[in-house]
mmCIF file of all heavy atoms in Angstrom:
data_model
loop_
_atom_site.group_PDB
_atom_site.id
_atom_site.type_symbol
_atom_site.label_atom_id
_atom_site.label_comp_id
_atom_site.label_asym_id
_atom_site.label_seq_id
_atom_site.Cartn_x
_atom_site.Cartn_y
_atom_site.Cartn_z
ATOM 1 N N VAL A 392 4.733 23.867 -19.954
ATOM 2 C CA VAL A 392 5.798 23.626 -18.969
ATOM 3 C C VAL A 392 5.554 22.320 -18.221
ATOM 4 O O VAL A 392 6.486 21.527 -17.990
ATOM 5 C CB VAL A 392 5.900 24.812 -17.990
ATOM 6 C CG1 VAL A 392 6.826 24.478 -16.829
ATOM 7 C CG2 VAL A 392 6.409 26.051 -18.713
ATOM 8 N N LEU A 393 4.321 22.064 -17.845
ATOM 9 C CA LEU A 393 3.987 20.821 -17.146
ATOM 10 C C LEU A 393 4.235 19.605 -18.045
ATOM 11 O O LEU A 393 4.790 18.595 -17.602
ATOM 12 C CB LEU A 393 2.527 20.847 -16.683
ATOM 13 C CG LEU A 393 2.183 21.863 -15.584
ATOM 14 C CD1 LEU A 393 0.693 21.869 -15.320
ATOM 15 C CD2 LEU A 393 2.950 21.542 -14.301
ATOM 16 N N ILE A 394 3.836 19.714 -19.314
ATOM 17 C CA ILE A 394 4.064 18.603 -20.248
ATOM 18 C C ILE A 394 5.558 18.353 -20.418
ATOM 19 O O ILE A 394 6.017 17.201 -20.424
ATOM 20 C CB ILE A 394 3.405 18.898 -21.606
ATOM 21 C CG1 ILE A 394 1.881 18.838 -21.481
ATOM 22 C CG2 ILE A 394 3.874 17.903 -22.662
ATOM 23 C CD1 ILE A 394 1.156 19.234 -22.751
ATOM 24 N N ALA A 395 6.333 19.433 -20.574
ATOM 25 C CA ALA A 395 7.784 19.290 -20.741
ATOM 26 C C ALA A 395 8.396 18.561 -19.542
ATOM 27 O O ALA A 395 9.234 17.661 -19.713
ATOM 28 C CB ALA A 395 8.419 20.662 -20.916
ATOM 29 N N TYR A 396 7.993 18.943 -18.345
ATOM 30 C CA TYR A 396 8.548 18.302 -17.154
ATOM 31 C C TYR A 396 8.144 16.835 -17.083
ATOM 32 O O TYR A 396 8.973 15.963 -16.797
ATOM 33 C CB TYR A 396 8.067 19.031 -15.893
ATOM 34 C CG TYR A 396 8.693 18.501 -14.620
ATOM 35 C CD1 TYR A 396 9.924 18.974 -14.181
ATOM 36 C CD2 TYR A 396 8.056 17.522 -13.871
ATOM 37 C CE1 TYR A 396 10.508 18.484 -13.026
ATOM 38 C CE2 TYR A 396 8.627 17.016 -12.712
ATOM 39 C CZ TYR A 396 9.848 17.506 -12.289
ATOM 40 O OH TYR A 396 10.432 17.009 -11.153
ATOM 41 N N LEU A 397 6.888 16.549 -17.358
ATOM 42 C CA LEU A 397 6.406 15.165 -17.278
ATOM 43 C C LEU A 397 7.094 14.270 -18.305
ATOM 44 O O LEU A 397 7.450 13.126 -18.006
ATOM 45 C CB LEU A 397 4.894 15.141 -17.487
ATOM 46 C CG LEU A 397 4.040 15.772 -16.374
ATOM 47 C CD1 LEU A 397 2.586 15.853 -16.799
ATOM 48 C CD2 LEU A 397 4.181 14.989 -15.075
ATOM 49 N N VAL A 398 7.285 14.784 -19.506
ATOM 50 C CA VAL A 398 7.896 13.975 -20.569
ATOM 51 C C VAL A 398 9.374 13.715 -20.290
ATOM 52 O O VAL A 398 9.867 12.597 -20.466
ATOM 53 C CB VAL A 398 7.723 14.669 -21.939
ATOM 54 C CG1 VAL A 398 8.544 13.971 -23.009
ATOM 55 C CG2 VAL A 398 6.251 14.682 -22.330
ATOM 56 N N VAL A 399 10.088 14.752 -19.840
ATOM 57 C CA VAL A 399 11.547 14.629 -19.655
ATOM 58 C C VAL A 399 11.902 13.960 -18.326
ATOM 59 O O VAL A 399 12.774 13.089 -18.283
ATOM 60 C CB VAL A 399 12.203 16.021 -19.746
ATOM 61 C CG1 VAL A 399 13.703 15.925 -19.469
ATOM 62 C CG2 VAL A 399 11.964 16.637 -21.120
ATOM 63 N N ARG A 400 11.238 14.353 -17.250
ATOM 64 C CA ARG A 400 11.620 13.858 -15.922
ATOM 65 C C ARG A 400 10.814 12.646 -15.461
ATOM 66 O O ARG A 400 11.299 11.867 -14.640
ATOM 67 C CB ARG A 400 11.449 14.980 -14.887
ATOM 68 C CG ARG A 400 12.415 16.134 -15.056
ATOM 69 C CD ARG A 400 13.815 15.728 -14.635
ATOM 70 N NE ARG A 400 14.709 16.858 -14.613
ATOM 71 C CZ ARG A 400 15.583 17.157 -15.561
ATOM 72 N NH1 ARG A 400 15.685 16.367 -16.633
ATOM 73 N NH2 ARG A 400 16.356 18.218 -15.466
ATOM 74 N N ARG A 401 9.612 12.502 -15.958
ATOM 75 C CA ARG A 401 8.757 11.414 -15.500
ATOM 76 C C ARG A 401 8.145 10.704 -16.704
ATOM 77 O O ARG A 401 6.925 10.512 -16.794
ATOM 78 C CB ARG A 401 7.661 11.945 -14.570
ATOM 79 C CG ARG A 401 8.208 12.626 -13.319
ATOM 80 C CD ARG A 401 7.094 13.232 -12.494
ATOM 81 N NE ARG A 401 6.207 12.224 -11.959
ATOM 82 C CZ ARG A 401 6.384 11.588 -10.798
ATOM 83 N NH1 ARG A 401 7.461 11.851 -10.063
ATOM 84 N NH2 ARG A 401 5.519 10.690 -10.378
ATOM 85 N N GLY A 402 9.002 10.334 -17.641
ATOM 86 C CA GLY A 402 8.529 9.690 -18.849
ATOM 87 C C GLY A 402 7.895 8.338 -18.589
ATOM 88 O O GLY A 402 8.520 7.456 -17.997
ATOM 89 N N ASN A 403 6.650 8.182 -18.963
ATOM 90 C CA ASN A 403 5.957 6.893 -18.896
ATOM 91 C C ASN A 403 4.892 6.886 -19.983
ATOM 92 O O ASN A 403 4.742 7.860 -20.739
ATOM 93 C CB ASN A 403 5.344 6.652 -17.509
ATOM 94 C CG ASN A 403 4.436 7.783 -17.056
ATOM 95 O OD1 ASN A 403 3.652 8.306 -17.841
ATOM 96 N ND2 ASN A 403 4.545 8.174 -15.786
ATOM 97 N N VAL A 404 4.145 5.801 -20.075
ATOM 98 C CA VAL A 404 3.153 5.657 -21.143
ATOM 99 C C VAL A 404 2.113 6.773 -21.081
ATOM 100 O O VAL A 404 1.758 7.375 -22.109
ATOM 101 C CB VAL A 404 2.463 4.283 -21.049
ATOM 102 C CG1 VAL A 404 1.338 4.189 -22.087
ATOM 103 C CG2 VAL A 404 3.470 3.166 -21.267
ATOM 104 N N LEU A 405 1.625 7.085 -19.882
ATOM 105 C CA LEU A 405 0.593 8.109 -19.721
ATOM 106 C C LEU A 405 1.099 9.476 -20.167
ATOM 107 O O LEU A 405 0.426 10.180 -20.932
ATOM 108 C CB LEU A 405 0.135 8.163 -18.266
ATOM 109 C CG LEU A 405 -0.874 9.268 -17.907
ATOM 110 C CD1 LEU A 405 -2.146 9.120 -18.727
ATOM 111 C CD2 LEU A 405 -1.175 9.259 -16.412
ATOM 112 N N ASN A 406 2.287 9.853 -19.710
ATOM 113 C CA ASN A 406 2.812 11.187 -20.025
ATOM 114 C C ASN A 406 3.171 11.325 -21.504
ATOM 115 O O ASN A 406 2.980 12.389 -22.106
ATOM 116 C CB ASN A 406 4.014 11.499 -19.145
ATOM 117 C CG ASN A 406 3.636 11.666 -17.692
ATOM 118 O OD1 ASN A 406 2.493 12.005 -17.381
ATOM 119 N ND2 ASN A 406 4.563 11.407 -16.783
ATOM 120 N N HIS A 407 3.694 10.260 -22.092
ATOM 121 C CA HIS A 407 3.984 10.321 -23.526
ATOM 122 C C HIS A 407 2.695 10.350 -24.346
ATOM 123 O O HIS A 407 2.661 10.952 -25.431
ATOM 124 C CB HIS A 407 4.855 9.140 -23.936
ATOM 125 C CG HIS A 407 6.294 9.278 -23.514
ATOM 126 N ND1 HIS A 407 7.125 10.244 -24.035
ATOM 127 C CD2 HIS A 407 7.038 8.594 -22.605
ATOM 128 C CE1 HIS A 407 8.331 10.155 -23.475
ATOM 129 N NE2 HIS A 407 8.295 9.150 -22.601
ATOM 130 N N ALA A 408 1.647 9.725 -23.834
ATOM 131 C CA ALA A 408 0.343 9.791 -24.509
ATOM 132 C C ALA A 408 -0.196 11.215 -24.476
ATOM 133 O O ALA A 408 -0.736 11.706 -25.479
ATOM 134 C CB ALA A 408 -0.640 8.838 -23.838
ATOM 135 N N ILE A 409 -0.038 11.880 -23.339
ATOM 136 C CA ILE A 409 -0.465 13.287 -23.226
ATOM 137 C C ILE A 409 0.301 14.148 -24.222
ATOM 138 O O ILE A 409 -0.271 15.007 -24.901
ATOM 139 C CB ILE A 409 -0.242 13.800 -21.787
ATOM 140 C CG1 ILE A 409 -1.179 13.074 -20.817
ATOM 141 C CG2 ILE A 409 -0.462 15.309 -21.699
ATOM 142 C CD1 ILE A 409 -0.879 13.358 -19.358
ATOM 143 N N ASP A 410 1.608 13.930 -24.317
ATOM 144 C CA ASP A 410 2.439 14.699 -25.249
ATOM 145 C C ASP A 410 1.996 14.469 -26.686
ATOM 146 O O ASP A 410 1.908 15.418 -27.479
ATOM 147 C CB ASP A 410 3.905 14.284 -25.059
ATOM 148 C CG ASP A 410 4.846 15.133 -25.903
ATOM 149 O OD1 ASP A 410 4.682 16.363 -25.916
ATOM 150 O OD2 ASP A 410 5.741 14.558 -26.544
ATOM 151 N N THR A 411 1.698 13.224 -27.028
ATOM 152 C CA THR A 411 1.252 12.898 -28.388
ATOM 153 C C THR A 411 -0.091 13.545 -28.706
ATOM 154 O O THR A 411 -0.283 14.122 -29.787
ATOM 155 C CB THR A 411 1.136 11.375 -28.557
ATOM 156 O OG1 THR A 411 2.408 10.771 -28.293
ATOM 157 C CG2 THR A 411 0.698 11.020 -29.972
#
Side-chain angles (χ1 to χ4, degrees):
V392 170
L393 292 175
I394 290 175
Y396 185 86
L397 292 172
V398 170
V399 176
R400 292 288 188 259
R401 300 175 65 88
N403 54 42
V404 175
L405 175 60
N406 292 335
H407 285 294
I409 293 171
D410 185 46
T411 301

